[in-house]
RNA sequence: GGCCCCGUAGUUCAAUGGAUAGAACGGAAGUUUCCUAAACUUUAAAUAUAGGUUCGAUUCCUAUCGGGGCUACCA
């Protein structure tokens, strides 16, 4: 890689010029800004202490030595404290010719030994997936792709919250008011049917609380004593005691939910290698709690509840097991972590979970550390920001959510309307057209969500957020389709270049060079995205690339160019660009349409 | 109250401590006898406030103001 060679040469040049060694980590080399002539820039300021000369003078001296030392350099300029180096066109051209058809470009050919377990999605079986889950799923799926491309063997796991007091709530509501309604009889998707009863519970529960408060109870007391919540607790107790009827209903309702989830996952285009159920891990969690008690790391109270005291570390006391012996979220997560470690011995266990659970994961890690678990330090909570609506946070208890299925369906129909309006694919058969609308609609949705830094909260306005023009998924997909059309024509006219032919002697236009530079950056981009666990790096990159290509395409002829060398160069550039756009989108979980 | 995160054009997002803070949407003005106009070109418009560290701060530190989250025997 050129940066490395440049750094070494700079080291040598500095020693030659100032007879001193210099800490290379202080030297920054960056790609030259677009508006300025040059390809790589060395920031000179850190050198001034040892050069004892003006920034301009220092830059000039260093530039001259480098020019002599590195044959690929053909010139430089100095602006203030910045040394801008110019590489010869041959350098860019040979890179282009050598890589434009490499399928494996930007994909690591070395696989690491140790696995990464990546958890995402993690739905509750009592409510359908909503926009927040969409962000979660897209992030997880994309990260799995990005890590794989960087040579990490990834195990995609989904942890289903299939048990707990919240599930009992929808079970209770169904027992009371459900009759024998099924997804089939109601025509509702399974997860939607469950969600309906969860909301029903919350509504009635709230009413009971209000009634009790009217009788003089505090809100807390009312929340604890309302008949519905007490009944739900009883169901949880029965469930943990393996009561037959309870288990039967639980299985039936969860089955409905899974069917619904699977449909949504399929439409969204995400999948998993392994599904864990909390009902299978909570007992292991309880064992760990017992172990903690024996080791004296945890303490039990008189009422039988088990706690960990983290006040010495600036946190609070945290409950790990209820007084009635039932387990809580944390108990389950302890077991899940253990099981995952036993199954895969991963080098990293990444949890894609919203930032509202930062505290929970902080505690989880500390508990496991105190238990002396070797995998505790390998736990990494990839904490992503909330998706907010214009009116604020989504509240599934109140049914104030953007439903995942509805949203996607809306995207598809909007994509269809847009396409028809533009008169793009009127000759497409119906099935193919529907496929295209899904590709474009999902492209818009996925790009919109993934282009934002995962750590940050983001706003989603159902009426305005999704666009198909400008900095959007469809814009990038369009660029891909456009190139594809161009290349098809080139093939038809037998104009495609031969791989072993170098377009020699041609001068690169600015627009061409800009694209080549971006293409060359692709491997670093995928690495950065993996290091930072951040798909937005890829999203912003591929937008830049598409934008640069459109700029080029608008102003410079490709097939119409009469000079065969230039035509060949531009075709290579186009083929390479389409390939890298396709790969980048793939990393984001976005499909690239051949036509649109 | 305590702990954590975030304040960048009208709006939604960018910017490894480096050059004149980038885009997109929206606003204004243009480009189609020419490889897909879901495109391209031009234009107006922003770092919450006050200090500090630094040759250099949107970025690091402190305070203030504003927004969000957590602080459940919910998940």
């Amino acid at each position: 890689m050129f940066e490395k060679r440049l750094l070494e040469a700079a080291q040598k040049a500095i020693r030659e010029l100032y007879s001193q060694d210099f800490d290379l980590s202080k030297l920054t080399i960056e790609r030259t800004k677009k508006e300025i002539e040059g390809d790589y820039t060395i920031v000179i300021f850190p050198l001034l202490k040892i050069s004892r000369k003006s920034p301009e003078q220092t830059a000039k001296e260093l530039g001259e030595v480098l020019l002599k030392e590195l044959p690929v350099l053909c010139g430089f300029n100095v602006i203030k404290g910045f040394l801008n180096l110019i590489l010869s066109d041959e350098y860019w051209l040979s890179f282009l010719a050598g890589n434009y058809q490499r399928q494996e470009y930007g994909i690591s050919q070395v696989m690491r030994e140790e696995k990464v377990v990546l958890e995402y999605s993690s739905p509750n079986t009592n409510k359908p997936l909503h926009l927040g889950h969409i962000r979660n799923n897209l992030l997880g799926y994309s990260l799995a792709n990005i890590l794989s491309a960087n040579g990490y063997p990834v195990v995609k796991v989904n942890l289903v919250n299939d048990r707990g007091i919240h599930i009992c709530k929808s079970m209770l509501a169904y027992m009371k008011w459900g009759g024998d309604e099924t997804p089939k009889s109601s025509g509702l998707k399974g997860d939607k049917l469950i969600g309906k009863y969860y909301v029903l519970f919350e509504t009635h529960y709230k009413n009971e609380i209000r009634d009790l408060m009217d009788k003089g109870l505090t809100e807390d007391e009312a929340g604890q004593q309302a008949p519905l919540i007490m009944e739900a607790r009883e169901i949880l107790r029965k469930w943990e005691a393996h009561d037959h009827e309870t288990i039967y209903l639980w299985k039936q309702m969860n089955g409905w939910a899974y069917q619904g989830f699977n449909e949504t996952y399929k439409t969204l285009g995400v999948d998993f290698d392994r599904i864990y159920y909390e009902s299978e891990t909570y007992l292991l969690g309880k064992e760990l709690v017992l172990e903690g008690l024996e080791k004296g790391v945890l303490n039990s109270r008189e009422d039988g509840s088990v706690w960990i005291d983290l006040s010495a570390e600036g946190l609070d006391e945290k409950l790990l097991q209820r007084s009635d012996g039932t387990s809580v979220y944390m108990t389950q997560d302890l077991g899940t972590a253990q099981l995952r470690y036993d199954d895969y011995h991963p080098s990293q266990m990444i949890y894609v979970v919203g930032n509202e659970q930062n505290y929970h994961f902080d505690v989880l890690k500390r508990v496991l550390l105190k238990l002396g678990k070797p995998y505790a330090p390998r736990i990494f909570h990839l904490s992503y920001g909330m998706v907010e609506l214009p009116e604020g946070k989504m509240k599934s208890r109140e049914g104030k959510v953007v439903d995942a299925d509805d949203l996607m369906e809306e995207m598809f129909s909007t994509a269809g309307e847009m396409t028809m309006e533009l008169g793009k694919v009127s000759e497409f058969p119906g099935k193919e057209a529907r496929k295209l609308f899904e590709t474009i609609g999902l492209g818009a949705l996925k790009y919109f969500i993934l282009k934002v830094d995962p750590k940050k909260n983001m706003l989603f306005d159902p009426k305005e957020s999704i666009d198909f023009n400008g900095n959007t998924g469809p814009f990038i997909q369009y660029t891909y389709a456009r190139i594809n059309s161009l290349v098809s024509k080139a093939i038809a006219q037998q104009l495609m270049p031969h791989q072993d032919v170098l377009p020699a002697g041609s001068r690169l236009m600015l627009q061409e060079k800009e694209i080549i530079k971006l293409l060359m950056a692709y491997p670093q981009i995928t690495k950065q995205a993996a290091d930072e666990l951040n798909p937005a790096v890829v999203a912003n990159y591929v937008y830049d690339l598409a934008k640069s290509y459109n700029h080029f395409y608008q102003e410079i002829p490709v097939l119409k160019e009469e000079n065969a060398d230039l035509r060949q160069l531009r075709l290579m550039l186009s083929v390479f660009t389409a390939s890298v756009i396709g790969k980048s989108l793939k990393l984001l979980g976005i499909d690239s349409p051949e036509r649109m």
Side-chain angles (χ1 to χ4, degrees):
Chain A
M1 193 174 310
F2 181 71
E3 273 108 322
K4 210 169 155 200
R5 265 162 64 206
L6 179 56
L7 217 51
E8 280 162 14
Q11 169 91 311
K12 209 172 140 220
I14 290 163
R15 201 179 301 134
E16 203 173 292
L17 281 167
Y18 310 118
S19 12
Q20 282 188 53
D21 273 327
F22 185 78
D23 180 5
L24 278 187
S25 65
K26 289 202 177 115
L27 203 64
T28 48
I29 293 180
E30 45 198 57
R31 293 196 289 275
T32 305
K33 295 178 68 167
K34 238 183 357 195
E35 316 83 71
I36 292 163
E37 191 193 1
D39 301 313
Y40 289 92
T41 295
I42 299 180
V43 182
I44 295 298
F45 298 108
L47 289 172
L48 301 184
K49 277 203 182 97
I50 62 166
S51 80
R52 298 172 180 279
K53 289 174 184 158
S54 71
E56 289 83 354
Q57 187 68 28
T58 311
K60 193 159 172 265
E61 285 178 354
L62 183 60
E64 271 159 13
V65 177
L66 288 174
L67 192 58
K68 249 187 291 169
E69 291 292 320
L70 291 170
V72 295
L73 286 184
C74 69
F76 69 87
N77 66 71
V78 176
I79 302 173
K80 294 188 213 163
F82 299 89
L83 171 61
N84 303 310
L85 303 164
I86 302 163
L87 274 71
S88 67
D89 284 350
E90 284 70 30
Y91 173 76
W92 303 109
L93 287 169
S94 75
F95 163 75
L96 175 64
N99 291 282
Y100 83 103
Q101 280 190 320
R102 284 181 61 221
Q103 288 304 310
E104 70 276 18
Y105 181 68
I107 296 166
S108 170
Q109 298 306 300
V110 193
M111 261 295 175
R112 286 162 224 249
E113 286 284 314
E114 289 186 302
K115 295 186 168 75
V116 174
V117 171
L118 177 64
E119 174 193 311
Y120 60 97
S121 203
S122 313
N124 288 331
T125 50
N126 64 338
K127 44 194 171 191
L129 303 179
H130 59 67
L131 184 53
H133 295 108
I134 290 189
R135 188 176 196 191
N136 181 311
N137 279 285
L138 297 181
L139 279 172
Y141 186 77
S142 172
L143 283 171
N145 292 340
I146 289 167
L147 290 171
S148 296
N150 279 274
Y152 294 90
V154 180
V155 186
K156 294 181 270 190
V157 308
N158 189 359
L159 172 65
V160 181
N161 287 258
D162 62 343
R163 48 141 278 130
I165 187 72
H166 53 295
I167 311 294
C168 297
K169 290 176 180 175
S170 33
M171 282 166 67
L172 179 64
Y174 184 79
M175 284 157 73
K176 283 191 176 302
W177 306 296
D180 47 12
E181 191 173 31
T182 66
K184 217 172 183 179
S185 76
S186 64
L188 277 173
K189 206 159 149 275
D191 52 333
K192 298 280 158 56
L193 183 67
I194 307 292
K196 179 178 131 186
Y197 286 101
Y198 183 68
V199 171
L200 208 55
F201 174 93
E202 288 295 333
T203 313
H204 286 274
Y205 179 41
K206 262 196 182 152
N207 289 341
E208 286 188 356
I209 290 176
R210 203 174 310 125
D211 290 349
L212 287 173
M213 284 170 73
D214 287 345
K215 288 179 189 156
L217 272 69
T218 67
E219 192 173 350
D220 269 5
E221 289 166 345
Q224 293 302 319
Q225 292 171 25
L228 277 173
I229 192 70
M230 292 176 73
E231 281 185 76
R233 283 208 198 98
E234 178 57 17
I235 293 178
L236 180 62
R237 202 197 52 73
K238 275 161 105 176
W239 185 91
E240 291 206 14
H242 308 292
D243 174 70
H244 279 302
E245 270 180 48
T246 311
I247 299 280
Y248 180 83
L249 176 65
W250 171 74
K251 279 190 175 160
Q252 184 181 43
M253 289 180 71
N254 274 348
W256 294 341
Y258 300 151
Q259 256 181 350
F261 289 159
N262 286 339
E263 254 180 69
T264 307
Y265 288 145
K266 195 169 172 224
T267 312
L268 191 56
V270 303
D271 55 45
F272 306 93
D273 301 312
R274 171 75 188 265
I275 296 178
Y276 286 96
Y277 299 92
E278 279 191 358
S279 57
E280 295 168 353
T281 67
Y282 80 104
L283 287 175
L284 187 52
K286 283 187 172 184
E287 280 174 34
L288 289 172
V289 168
L290 211 59
E291 186 187 321
L293 280 172
E294 280 163 11
K295 284 188 179 169
V297 177
L298 311 178
N299 44 70
S300 58
R301 291 186 182 169
E302 283 176 14
D303 61 7
S305 57
V306 182
W307 298 74
I308 186 161
D309 184 3
L310 294 169
S311 51
E313 300 172 44
L315 303 178
D316 297 326
E317 284 189 281
K318 187 85 187 171
L319 176 88
L320 297 184
Q321 193 169 299
R322 292 193 189 94
S323 51
D324 64 2
T326 58
S327 63
V328 290
Y329 183 42
M330 186 66 73
T331 329
Q332 296 158 179
D333 263 2
L334 292 171
T336 309
Q338 177 74 49
L339 194 57
R340 223 166 263 188
Y341 177 71
D342 293 343
D343 285 345
Y344 298 105
H345 285 81
S347 59
Q348 280 185 87
M349 302 203 278
I350 303 174
Y351 293 73
V352 182
V353 177
N355 64 13
E356 58 196 347
Q357 293 190 33
N358 285 355
Y359 183 70
H360 172 79
F361 277 93
D362 198 8
V363 173
L364 175 71
K365 200 164 171 172
R366 285 170 198 267
V367 173
L368 288 169
L369 276 172
K370 288 209 167 198
L371 286 171
K373 296 298 174 189
Y375 51 86
R378 302 180 198 182
I379 287 180
F380 182 80
H381 173 205
L382 182 67
S383 159
Y384 64 89
M386 303 280 95
V387 183
E388 282 162 18
L389 301 176
E391 60 271 23
K393 204 190 164 185
M394 283 185 281
K395 297 196 175 86
S396 38
R397 287 176 196 217
E398 298 167 22
K400 273 190 215 159
V401 292
V402 173
D403 179 81
D405 298 317
D406 295 350
L407 177 60
M408 286 191 284
E409 204 46 56
E410 216 168 291
M411 301 299 315
F412 302 159
S413 59
T414 310
E417 284 161 27
M418 286 291 288
T419 307
M420 293 311 190
E421 216 171 279
L422 292 167
K424 288 279 182 182
V425 289
S426 40
E427 80 279 19
F428 268 41
K431 208 170 174 190
E432 213 174 306
R434 166 73 188 184
K435 183 89 184 52
L436 178 68
F437 303 157
E438 286 184 10
T439 301
I440 297 172
L442 278 178
L445 178 62
K446 292 181 178 185
Y447 182 82
F448 180 84
I449 285 172
L450 289 175
K451 76 173 177 182
V452 181
D453 185 333
K455 290 190 287 295
K456 295 191 176 171
N457 288 356
M458 64 180 293
L459 186 103
F460 185 90
D461 185 338
K463 291 192 290 292
E464 287 180 14
S465 281
I466 295 298
D467 215 329
F468 291 78
N469 298 319
N471 187 356
T472 65
F475 167 84
I476 300 162
Q477 290 173 316
Y478 171 71
T479 311
Y480 180 91
R482 217 181 196 191
I483 299 175
N484 193 260
S485 152
L486 185 75
V487 170
S488 304
K489 287 203 167 95
I491 291 169
Q493 296 171 38
Q494 303 195 322
L495 292 175
M496 287 304 283
H498 300 289
Q499 193 172 17
D500 50 348
V501 180
L502 244 165
S506 34
R507 282 280 297 157
L508 280 169
M509 315 264 297
L510 271 179
Q511 295 91 327
E512 294 164 342
K513 197 159 147 185
E514 195 185 309
I515 296 170
I516 297 176
K517 284 193 211 174
L518 279 169
L519 291 169
M520 193 184 262
Y522 177 67
Q524 290 146 264
I525 292 291
T526 57
K527 182 174 183 307
Q528 190 193 341
D531 291 347
E532 295 176 10
L533 298 175
N534 184 0
V537 171
V538 175
N540 291 318
Y541 164 80
V542 70
Y543 171 67
D544 267 351
L545 180 60
K547 197 172 158 57
S548 291
Y549 186 86
N550 275 323
H551 180 60
F552 155 83
Y553 181 92
Q554 193 76 19
E555 295 184 4
I556 300 176
V558 180
L559 296 181
K560 301 216 148 93
E561 172 60 52
E562 309 220 331
N563 178 316
D565 279 343
L566 287 179
R567 194 174 57 225
Q568 177 182 335
L569 159 68
R570 289 170 194 166
L571 273 168
M572 282 180 171
L573 196 60
S574 300
V575 169
F576 201 179
T577 302
S579 152
V580 170
I581 287 179
K583 283 179 194 194
S584 300
L585 289 180
K586 194 94 196 146
L587 290 181
L588 300 174
I590 298 173
D591 289 333
S592 308
E594 300 301 315
R595 296 172 60 193
M596 69 181 270

